[in-house]
Amino acid sequence: MTEQPTAGITLRELRDKPASELKAVGPKLAPRLEAMGLETVLDVLEHYPRRYHDRTNVADIAELAIGEQATVTGEVKKVSVRRPRGRRPFVEMEVFDGTSYLRLTFFNQEYRAKIAEGTEISVFGKVDLYRGRRQMVNPALDVLGGPGEQTTGILLPIYAQSGKADVHTWQLRKIAAELLQRTRPRGFADPVDDDVLRARGLVDRTRAYEDVHRPSAMSDATTARNRLTFDEFLRMQVGLVARKRALERDRSGIEHDVNGALVAAFHAGLPFPLTKDQENVIAEIASDMARPAPMHRLLQGEVGSGKTVVALTALLIAVQCGHQGAFMSPTEVLAEQHELTMRSLLADLRVAADDTLLGERPVGVALLTNRTSAADRRRIADGLRDGTIDILVGTHALIYEGVEFADLGVAVIDEQHRFGVEQRDVLRGKGSEPDVLVMTATPIPRTAAMLIYGDLDRSQLRTLPAGRSPITTEVVGASPLERSPVYEKVRAQIAAGRQAYVVCPLVEGSDKLVAKAATEEYARLEREDLAGLRLGLLHGQMHSRDKEAVMTRFREHEIDVLVATTVIEVGVDVPNATVMVVEDADRFGLLQLHQLRGRIGRGAHQSFCYLLADPVTNEAKARLQAMVSSSDGFELAERDLEIRGEGAVFGERQSGWSDLKLGRLPRDEPIVMEARAVAESILDADPELEHHPQLREEVEDLLGDAVEFLFKS
Ligand code: ADP
Ligand code: MG
């Protein structure tokens, strides 16, 4: 070995240096960079060019034809602000490229006037004719050369700049150039071994940073970006795979007896046979729970696929062994609904109790949410301690301090993207290595699941229980004229003995405002469009008792139409409901609409979903169109990813686990798979990353404290 692996520069070193240490930054520019979020030398290094300006692909101004789209580069000759009477001011600019002049006109972009005469710029836009002269209106503009800058390369990196912070692309280019020049003698420490890089066709890190900032050909820039994107995903995957293995290594879990009488009695008492998928998933869970390593499994299943029965089975496996179970829901309404469902499904079951006359008692189920009274809380605390509560259902109130189980055997988390790794760990900590089952109804594309749930084993319920009928979905304009036939259809269904949901518009602001809007919509419908029908109202601000009462009346068909906020999104289960009207449907996310629609189509009757909307943006149109053309959750999830990109995946969760500067989904799926494979093989050979100190350091820096338990044996 000739090279010292530690000789190269590490990212951590650069993270610990303020950007102002670079001469090109200095004290003047430093606060402006900071305003753009660039504080350290590492931030600057990772502020990659947005794109590269290709000088070979530039038109001569003299040759431009009217109507043509073209890129032109030239020198700014004259800048002026025009202030026509009674109209808004605009900026006019003349550019000269040696062949001819072109006029540029900028509306609503007064800051363009700050560009100095003599600046070299590039513009891209459509050529049109105005008062006999060719011009471009509001073209895309990049400032190319800075004062005194030599921009002779063919590919010129263009950085995201900030008008507000007064930082320009040429300044960023200069800073990057200095950074590269100063790092060149040592080069960068590479977290990935040479042979792996060669086998995967990846360039080394030193070359990647060089080429991303100063490529001599487009292909070099692409190769560099691939390598750096790979690094981003590799860090995450090493974290996730290491977490998964740390959990598997643990031998201190509970070896549940999965063949007890309670589960058998539960299955025998169900009013339906289990689906094949349910049987398979239950077998996977049982095999996990029987092993000494704690279970860490994700159960993915469409709305209505029957996850509750699976979850209850897991809970009862623990209960029949004398342990307790916890079931955590994302919302109060859901927790209440689940508690009711469980109570009724468990009504006939008995567990052993030596201190009672018959030697047995019903399964103890309790509900804990933020609304639970102090008295009930005390009662629950006692029941948890003396073991008479077997199953505790609730919201995140379950993970609060002071909730203590005598013996937690399994925790089920119905998460809908609302809980994160940390909360999972807190609930786990309420027991001694309990088994954990995470459930989600949000269909997640495979690669995305690999990013968010890469530390869990996965099970799926793909097929719905038999006896479901399809749902017809239509987008309908929101005007009174267009919506009135929808209300006629609602009436017709109700006349036929069915029930309906009306989902209220999504209003921004507090829960109180949402509740107010729902109350108004309810009053309006009762007065006008749905007058004479039996209406009910459900929103999150209502008292639990009232919510329960409304749900019970709806379930028992004392209410025809339930006017509700998105509190009905998941879990609500009334098979007789066959119509759903969603107000302002264009304001809901695609998967949220899918979840909502999952409330209907649960029985044997044909169901109808009406999405009231006049979508304006292309994205909204695409979402609604997707809803009409598919009812398959996985298909919709893939669509959602295409429409929204990886923001769809990382929305509310796990900021620490994702720090993507270049990586994008679904575009970079192949790189994710590659990174996963490399992460696995690295950890196979070197579980503690003893021989990969650089990689280990980067994973630590990504995950912070969360990394603590990953690499200890
Ligand atoms: P999820 O929680 O996955 O959305 P649920 O567990 O609420 O779905 O189940 C939806 C409905 O299907 C419930 O009414 C449930 O009783 C019913 N169900 C569950 N499993 C079966 C089955 N194997 N056969 C028929 N119906 C079932
Ligand atoms: Mg459910």
Side-chain angles (χ1 to χ4, degrees):
M1 242 209 219
T2 49
E3 222 173 287
Q4 283 292 313
T6 49
I9 295 166
T10 68
L11 301 189
R12 188 180 281 179
E13 265 179 77
L14 298 187
R15 183 201 65 183
D16 292 339
K17 282 194 209 310
S20 58
E21 283 196 7
L22 294 165
K23 282 202 223 55
V25 176
K28 259 231 198 85
L29 206 48
R32 277 144 64 189
L33 285 181
E34 205 174 309
M36 291 176 70
L38 306 179
E39 292 179 31
T40 69
V41 175
L42 180 61
D43 292 337
V44 173
L45 180 69
E46 291 182 340
H47 188 67
Y48 303 117
R50 193 153 56 78
R51 53 192 197 81
Y52 305 90
H53 178 70
D54 182 354
R55 286 165 181 264
T56 58
N57 206 3
V58 166
D60 284 347
I61 293 178
E63 307 292 323
L64 292 180
I66 310 298
E68 185 184 354
Q69 295 247 21
T71 302
V72 160
T73 64
E75 193 183 319
V76 174
K77 288 297 188 191
K78 195 167 148 237
V79 183
S80 51
V81 183
R82 299 297 181 110
R83 303 183 186 281
R85 268 224 219 151
R87 285 196 289 135
R88 309 190 61 167
F90 61 93
V91 176
E92 233 175 43
M93 215 179 269
E94 295 287 340
V95 233
F96 180 67
D97 73 346
T99 68
S100 187
Y101 280 86
L102 179 69
R103 179 167 55 204
L104 309 176
T105 308
F106 295 94
F107 295 106
N108 297 322
Q109 301 181 30
E110 270 191 80
Y111 60 91
R112 295 292 188 201
K114 280 196 277 186
I115 293 178
E117 290 171 15
T119 306
E120 191 193 3
I121 61 167
S122 152
V123 287
F124 172 78
K126 192 171 162 200
V127 184
D128 63 31
L129 199 64
Y130 182 71
R131 297 200 172 154
R133 276 201 59 199
R134 290 170 310 165
Q135 68 160 5
M136 285 183 186
V137 176
N138 287 357
L141 181 152
D142 288 314
V143 172
L144 295 184
E149 190 190 19
Q150 289 286 329
T151 60
T152 47
I154 287 185
L155 282 178
L156 198 60
I158 306 292
Y159 291 88
Q161 43 185 8
S162 165
K164 202 162 124 223
D166 197 18
V167 176
H168 303 280
T169 192
W170 61 268
Q171 289 168 313
L172 291 161
R173 210 158 41 226
K174 201 164 147 199
I175 295 165
E178 182 194 339
L179 173 54
L180 290 177
Q181 185 225 323
R182 289 175 59 171
T183 51
R184 216 166 281 141
R186 275 175 68 197
F188 285 89
D190 205 311
V192 185
D193 295 341
D194 286 347
D195 49 341
V196 176
L197 293 179
R198 259 196 307 278
R200 308 258 164 193
L202 295 164
V203 293
D204 67 62
R205 179 175 270 184
T206 305
R207 166 103 188 268
Y209 280 126
E210 187 83 32
D211 283 356
V212 80
H213 287 291
R214 326 211 85 193
S216 40
M218 225 23 231
S219 58
D220 291 346
T222 308
T223 316
R225 288 171 106 71
N226 276 344
R227 167 63 211 268
L228 298 171
T229 307
F230 173 83
D231 284 1
E232 292 182 351
F233 287 121
L234 180 67
R235 290 195 273 270
M236 288 173 71
Q237 287 305 326
V238 167
L240 288 164
V241 173
R243 182 180 154 90
K244 185 162 189 293
R245 297 194 174 173
L247 296 168
E248 281 162 3
R249 250 194 328 262
D250 193 333
R251 295 265 148 255
S252 54
I254 305 163
E255 293 178 54
H256 284 101
D257 171 11
V258 296
N259 297 314
L262 192 61
V263 170
F266 171 55
H267 289 166
L270 286 173
F272 41 71
L274 295 174
T275 64
K276 196 90 206 101
D277 274 8
Q278 282 171 324
E279 275 177 6
N280 291 341
V281 170
I282 285 172
E284 287 169 334
I285 290 172
S287 125
D288 284 356
M289 291 184 72
R291 280 189 297 139
M295 168 168 75
H296 284 274
R297 185 167 287 279
L298 172 71
L299 170 57
Q300 280 181 277
E302 275 273 19
V303 277
S305 60
K307 293 187 293 299
T308 312
V309 169
V310 174
L312 258 178
T313 304
L315 293 167
L316 292 177
I317 287 176
V319 172
Q320 76 187 359
C321 299
H323 307 292
Q324 292 163 304
F327 185 102
M328 183 157 77
S329 274
T331 70
E332 211 155 291
V333 170
L334 265 179
E336 286 159 9
Q337 172 96 11
H338 272 125
E339 192 237 3
L340 278 178
T341 313
M342 288 186 190
R343 268 186 200 288
S344 80
L345 285 169
L346 301 179
D348 299 330
L349 299 183
R350 296 286 176 274
V351 291
D354 300 336
D355 53 350
T356 61
L357 198 56
L358 297 173
E360 56 174 35
R361 60 170 175 80
V363 179
V365 179
L367 174 72
L368 180 68
T369 71
N370 280 346
R371 301 201 185 212
T372 306
S373 68
D376 283 346
R377 248 170 236 276
R378 270 193 301 277
R379 196 180 46 76
I380 289 171
D382 290 344
L384 286 177
R385 209 172 311 117
D386 66 22
T388 50
I389 294 178
D390 300 297
I391 298 176
L392 182 63
V393 183
T395 55
H396 60 276
L398 257 55
I399 62 177
Y400 291 169
E401 242 170 85
V403 178
E404 280 165 35
F405 293 82
D407 182 5
L408 183 64
V410 66
V412 180
I413 303 171
D414 187 6
E415 83 166 7
Q416 308 300 341
H417 276 204
R418 284 183 174 95
F419 301 114
V421 168
E422 293 74 17
Q423 281 146 315
R424 250 192 259 157
D425 284 344
V426 178
L427 187 55
R428 262 187 26 186
K430 300 270 177 190
S432 162
E433 302 301 329
D435 289 313
V436 174
L437 179 67
V438 178
M439 305 202 300
T440 173
T442 312
I444 306 158
R446 202 166 86 94
T447 335
M450 198 170 276
L451 293 187
I452 326 175
Y453 294 113
D455 55 336
L456 303 177
D457 293 309
R458 251 170 296 152
S459 297
Q460 278 195 0
L461 293 176
R462 292 281 323 227
T463 49
L464 299 185
R468 302 299 168 81
S469 63
I471 305 173
T472 308
T473 301
E474 263 182 65
V475 179
V476 181
S479 72
L481 202 65
E482 289 166 287
R483 65 166 66 215
S484 83
V486 169
Y487 294 121
E488 286 317 308
K489 294 202 176 117
V490 171
R491 284 178 182 282
Q493 284 290 305
I494 284 164
R498 307 282 84 78
Q499 289 163 279
Y501 297 100
V502 174
V503 180
C504 296
L506 257 189
V507 292
E508 296 205 5
S510 67
D511 292 348
K512 276 214 177 70
L513 288 175
V514 176
K516 181 165 170 282
T519 310
E520 284 169 9
E521 174 78 357
Y522 167 78
R524 188 187 72 75
L525 288 169
E526 193 166 52
R527 205 171 50 236
E528 300 167 12
D529 294 304
L530 298 179
L533 301 180
R534 298 174 300 173
L535 267 55
L537 172 67
L538 187 70
H539 62 69
Q541 289 281 294
M542 288 163 53
H543 198 281
S544 314
R545 252 199 317 275
D546 299 334
K547 277 191 280 192
E548 256 170 57
V550 170
M551 278 316 300
T552 306
R553 285 172 54 218
F554 189 59
R555 230 178 327 236
E556 291 175 357
H557 203 167
E558 290 165 21
I559 290 174
D560 298 314
V561 182
L562 187 63
V563 181
T565 58
T566 52
V567 294
I568 60 154
E569 196 174 326
V570 271
V572 174
D573 184 21
V574 179
N576 191 46
T578 55
V579 196
M580 172 170 286
V581 180
V582 184
E583 291 279 352
D584 280 351
D586 52 331
R587 302 183 60 178
F588 292 87
L590 180 50
L591 292 181
Q592 197 174 16
L593 286 174
H594 176 64
Q595 303 282 23
L596 284 168
R597 185 173 57 181
R599 299 309 102 213
I600 57 173
R602 303 194 136 224
H605 301 280
Q606 160 85 45
S607 291
F608 306 89
C609 177
Y610 300 102
L611 304 173
L612 300 186
D614 297 300
V616 215
T617 65
N618 287 336
E619 211 188 291
K621 283 179 198 156
R623 280 200 302 269
L624 296 174
Q625 192 42 49
M627 282 294 291
V628 171
S629 55
S630 174
S631 55
D632 179 283
F634 283 89
E635 217 174 292
L636 289 173
E638 298 284 354
R639 271 302 283 141
D640 194 42
L641 196 56
E642 280 163 28
I643 298 172
R644 287 203 297 151
E646 74 296 329
V649 180
F650 293 115
E652 303 169 30
R653 301 177 40 116
Q654 299 187 4
S655 55
W657 290 78
S658 95
D659 184 21
L660 300 178
K661 302 248 163 35
L662 289 171
R664 292 281 175 274
L665 289 180
R667 185 192 66 197
D668 294 326
E669 283 190 7
I671 304 183
V672 176
M673 308 304 270
E674 193 90 8
R676 177 75 174 198
V678 171
E680 282 175 348
S681 74
I682 289 177
L683 288 165
D684 281 344
D686 183 15
E688 317 287 321
L689 295 184
E690 281 162 341
H691 306 291
H692 294 81
Q694 183 54 31
L695 183 57
R696 180 175 166 145
E697 187 176 290
E698 288 173 26
V699 175
E700 279 171 9
D701 286 347
L702 173 67
L703 301 184
D705 290 342
V707 86
E708 284 283 301
F709 84 116
L710 293 189
F711 302 117
K712 62 165 198 264
S713 29

